Amino acid sequence: MQVIVRDNNVDQALRVLKKKMQREGIFREMKLRRHYEKPSERKAREKAEAIRRARKLARKRTEREG
């Protein structure tokens, strides 16, 4: 990942970098890798995330339709 610093404005470059990292999911992955996660825990977490995503999508769909 690369960010160009313009006019020695490091603060703006940091903001851009953080936004790119957030979009790529790097912060989330770093948080998950802080501690070892057993394969069974990983499977359960991923299943719960999938259910959450499906419910959110269904909620948005019903909201749009009526």
Side-chain angles (χ1 to χ4, degrees):
M1 198 167 293
Q2 187 175 14
V3 176
I4 298 169
V5 179
R6 295 193 176 110
D7 301 327
N8 284 338
N9 195 347
V10 178
D11 293 330
Q12 184 181 9
L14 266 174
R15 255 182 295 169
V16 172
L17 178 66
K18 285 181 182 178
K19 193 180 288 185
K20 281 185 176 184
M21 290 172 74
Q22 181 73 33
R23 217 176 288 135
E24 292 293 320
I26 293 174
F27 290 125
R28 188 166 179 272
E29 192 171 329
M30 282 174 24
K31 185 179 177 186
L32 286 172
R33 288 176 185 252
R34 280 192 187 134
H35 302 287
Y36 178 73
E37 187 177 27
K38 287 170 42 179
S40 60
E41 291 172 346
R42 179 174 178 238
K43 191 175 178 182
R45 177 183 50 80
E46 287 177 349
K47 186 175 180 180
E49 287 174 356
I51 291 169
R52 214 174 294 122
R53 274 194 311 272
R55 283 183 183 158
K56 186 176 181 181
L57 185 67
R59 194 169 44 244
K60 282 187 175 184
R61 213 180 281 138
T62 57
E63 202 174 277
R64 254 187 274 131
E65 291 173 358

